[in-house]
Amino acid sequence: MSELRRVIDSGEIGEVVSAHASFCQNDGAGACSATLETGIYCAQFIQWAMGGVAPESVEGVNFRLHENGNDEHISALLKFPDGKHGTLECSLRNPSPRQATICGTKGVIEVQFPFWCPTKFTVQGMTGLGSQTWTEKKVYEFPLPDITGEYNFVNSEGLAYEAAEANRCLRAGLTESPLFDSEECLAVMQVIADIRSRWEK
């Protein structure tokens, strides 16, 4: 993710104006909340793509509830300052490509599956009349840490980066990481709470 942040900050795709993420899988409808299980990854990614700025509002929420009351398929529009926006979709009822897209004024970044712990993304310039002048896709690839073992989920080796950052903060006497501080964490949770308020009483 640090390489993705570097590309965004470099201005290669211009100013980021929208971000889109979908995390849907068909293995647990009704077992738990889709918003809490997979939607939180979407909300965090979109807010992160916007530089950590919290959305002003959550709008256009569409949802389907399981018969037991758990949300199983959700979509929502996040409204950010300066007319920027993000869209998210999460589900435990159906699969999706589980990719993410960041759109800027000069081009697009596509983050391949799994967008929440990627090893590859592409950057493509799109300019000119009707944004029809496209550059060749530039591919960025980076390996996972060389850790052996059995894992339940794809790219779990990447959790070593989180452990290393937590260790760095502890050694430095920090109570939180500047890469994702408590204010940003609470903002993501507020998005999830706002979405769930549409059906929770």
Side-chain angles (χ1 to χ4, degrees):
M1 298 299 279
S2 59
E3 182 65 9
L4 185 55
R5 170 56 60 201
R6 185 194 66 76
V7 171
I8 293 172
D9 292 345
S10 75
E12 190 169 348
I13 64 165
E15 180 184 3
V16 172
V17 295
S18 68
H20 316 276
S22 176
F23 191 160
C24 302
Q25 55 195 41
N26 61 350
D27 65 348
C32 60
S33 162
T35 316
L36 297 176
E37 179 75 10
T38 62
I40 194 164
Y41 291 94
C42 300
Q44 182 179 1
F45 181 89
I46 293 168
Q47 184 172 299
W48 179 85
M50 295 294 177
V53 176
E56 295 176 333
S57 62
V58 177
E59 303 177 358
V61 176
N62 187 36
F63 61 90
R64 174 189 168 102
L65 301 182
H66 189 269
E67 60 185 17
N68 65 12
N70 281 328
D71 53 292
E72 59 181 19
H73 193 183
I74 311 300
S75 61
L77 171 68
L78 310 184
K79 181 181 177 183
F80 289 88
D82 298 323
K84 300 177 181 182
H85 70 266
T87 59
L88 67 83
E89 178 192 21
C90 61
S91 178
L92 296 177
R93 183 174 180 240
N94 63 280
S96 73
R98 287 159 285 175
Q99 299 173 347
T101 306
I102 302 170
C103 303
T105 54
K106 297 179 181 178
V108 171
I109 296 174
E110 294 179 328
V111 186
Q112 281 75 27
F113 169 85
F115 75 83
W116 58 95
C117 50
T119 58
K120 178 181 179 181
F121 66 88
T122 62
V123 179
Q124 187 168 38
M126 297 180 184
T127 57
L129 182 64
S131 297
Q132 296 178 96
T133 303
W134 292 15
T135 64
E136 289 293 320
K137 283 188 177 182
K138 188 183 298 183
V139 179
Y140 291 84
E141 293 186 85
F142 32 92
L144 290 165
D146 186 16
I147 302 172
T148 58
E150 295 183 9
Y151 303 99
N152 290 323
F153 301 107
V154 64
N155 292 1
S156 290
E157 301 95 319
L159 291 171
Y161 295 126
E162 293 186 21
E165 175 62 8
N167 186 55
R168 184 194 70 79
C169 291
L170 289 171
R171 289 179 179 274
L174 302 175
T175 57
E176 61 183 14
S177 171
L179 299 178
F180 186 65
D181 60 25
S182 56
E183 183 177 347
E184 191 171 347
C185 179
L186 289 171
V188 171
M189 294 308 299
Q190 186 61 58
V191 168
I192 298 302
D194 287 350
I195 291 174
R196 290 170 59 81
S197 71
R198 302 312 201 271
W199 61 85
E200 289 186 332
K201 303 300 181 185

